[in-house]
Amino acid sequence: MRVVAFVPGSIGDQVLFFPTLDDLKRSYPDALIDVVVEPRSKAAYRVSKSVHEVLTFDYKDRNSLADWGNLVGTIRDREYDVAITAGESWFVGLFLWLTGIPTRIGFQGSGANFLTSVVSPNTSQYIPSMYHDLLQPLGIKTPCPPLAVNILKPDIEWAQQQQKRLGINDTGYILLSGGSGKLSQINGADTSYPVASWQQIIQDCQRKQPDLPVVVIKETEDDKFVSSLVESCPGIKVIAIDDVGKLTAIIGGASLMLSLNSAPLQVAIAVQTYTIALLGSTDPGKILPTSDKFLAIKSPTGKTADIAPATVLEKIWGG
């Protein structure tokens, strides 16, 4: 069986879809599963356990009919048996109908008339569980499995080298993910938290746990953010990361991570690193599983920037 899944969105959105792909592969171990994602999100599948091939298409671009036609041809050539779409676009529904794929599964929405099986989205539940409901028309009615990723050996070795370089391989470390680079973005997420607030949190951690280093993730787009932290908190360590594999390995080695609503947050969940998430208006129950390892701090105003550093520190030291 050949399956193709259409998953728009950021790297973080892809990780949230991983349990659906993993359970599909578990139920149909001989199936070849491909995905069609935006170019910015292709990197997520470096740590996927279940995907055979990643095709790219910029759903948000002003695509011409020729662009859509080329994609129809590409999909037709692969002769898929099943298509699953995580979106509700009328145009994507029409597109799937044009591909001629016999089984077309998606959520109830504007494109539902072009699908062979329609699932009513339960938007109040944990997002991976909502996606997992798309497997019901294939006879898969097991509970949604937890997020999981596959960390490759070269990425583990790279992370070990970085830890040794920074002198943190024996001490463990607190990892901070507060930037806004392409690895971190999640569609529609409020990911703005003041540098001054981060500084207060870091300085308190350094004062109370001087032997537990604070490490900041730096992406290419985060130069100003990271340089401001280094200037005010000279004892912090910085790790520059440019791909999801390295990101996953570094998060996996942390003792604790502090994160905004971002792709690193979902990776931390997948590798079971203790994490405190700073959230704006997002419902914690939609993006965090029920676990003592993952704590949420939700802003009283709906804006992440309004979370008081004292509230974060209370969670850190009070657990």
Side-chain angles (χ1 to χ4, degrees):
M1 182 170 73
R2 295 206 68 175
V3 181
V4 60
F6 293 80
V7 192
S10 65
I11 287 174
D13 296 312
Q14 306 305 312
V15 177
L16 290 166
F17 200 76
F18 278 10
T20 298
L21 299 171
D22 292 342
D23 214 16
L24 178 60
K25 186 65 174 178
R26 180 196 60 79
S27 300
Y28 296 93
D30 295 329
L32 292 179
I33 303 172
D34 298 342
V35 291
V36 181
V37 303
E38 296 171 35
R40 63 179 175 138
S41 303
K42 181 177 181 179
Y45 290 89
R46 177 176 176 84
V47 294
S48 169
K49 296 180 174 184
S50 304
V51 168
H52 172 251
E53 186 176 1
V54 182
L55 308 176
T56 59
F57 186 76
D58 196 343
Y59 297 95
K60 291 188 174 182
D61 197 11
R62 301 177 72 174
N63 299 295
S64 66
L65 290 177
D67 294 326
W68 284 101
N70 289 336
L71 184 59
V72 167
T74 298
I75 298 300
R76 277 184 171 272
D77 288 345
R78 284 169 166 74
E79 298 183 341
Y80 291 109
D81 303 292
V82 178
I84 300 172
T85 176
E88 300 175 25
S89 163
W90 174 87
F91 208 84
V92 172
L94 172 62
F95 163 80
L96 290 180
W97 178 70
L98 291 173
T99 63
I101 297 173
T103 300
R104 304 181 298 278
I105 303 169
F107 289 123
Q108 181 69 50
S110 57
N113 289 338
F114 299 107
L115 304 175
T116 59
S117 296
V118 176
V119 175
S120 295
N122 181 354
T123 56
S124 64
Q125 65 179 329
Y126 183 43
I127 290 175
S129 296
M130 181 187 74
Y131 287 146
H132 188 263
D133 289 345
L134 289 168
L135 299 181
Q136 290 180 0
L138 297 175
I140 302 173
K141 300 186 180 182
T142 51
C144 178
L147 266 63
V149 290
N150 182 37
I151 309 178
L152 301 180
K153 184 178 179 181
D155 294 326
I156 295 174
E157 292 173 345
W158 176 87
Q160 291 171 341
Q161 291 168 1
Q162 293 298 308
Q163 292 165 7
K164 188 174 182 179
R165 175 181 67 83
L166 295 173
I168 59 175
N169 52 313
D170 294 325
T171 62
Y173 49 94
I174 297 174
L175 190 63
L176 189 155
S177 172
S180 57
K182 64 182 180 181
L183 294 181
S184 299
Q185 295 171 350
I186 278 192
N187 287 352
D190 172 13
T191 56
S192 176
Y193 195 61
V195 170
S197 296
W198 281 126
Q199 290 169 349
Q200 290 183 51
I201 294 168
I202 293 169
Q203 289 167 357
D204 193 77
C205 290
Q206 290 175 327
R207 184 170 59 255
K208 291 184 176 177
Q209 289 285 348
D211 296 328
L212 188 62
V214 177
V215 179
V216 179
I217 295 172
K218 177 186 176 183
E219 296 182 46
T220 305
E221 301 89 344
D222 292 337
D223 286 345
K224 186 176 180 180
F225 167 72
V226 173
S227 61
S228 297
L229 288 181
V230 171
E231 185 177 345
S232 60
C233 308
I236 65 172
K237 315 286 187 179
V238 177
I239 292 184
I241 296 179
D242 58 5
D243 73 63
V244 178
K246 293 183 177 72
L247 175 70
T248 302
I250 285 295
I251 292 174
S255 304
L256 171 69
M257 188 168 87
L258 306 177
S259 178
L260 305 179
N261 184 8
S262 62
L265 172 61
Q266 298 306 324
V267 170
I269 292 169
V271 298
Q272 294 287 299
T273 292
Y274 283 94
T275 301
I276 296 175
L278 281 61
L279 306 179
S281 59
T282 303
D283 179 356
K286 291 186 178 182
I287 63 168
L288 296 177
T290 302
S291 170
D292 293 339
K293 287 192 171 184
F294 314 118
L295 301 176
I297 300 175
K298 193 173 186 299
S299 170
T301 67
K303 294 182 179 180
T304 308
D306 292 336
I307 296 174
T311 303
V312 180
L313 291 167
E314 183 181 351
K315 283 285 188 182
I316 293 174
W317 306 127

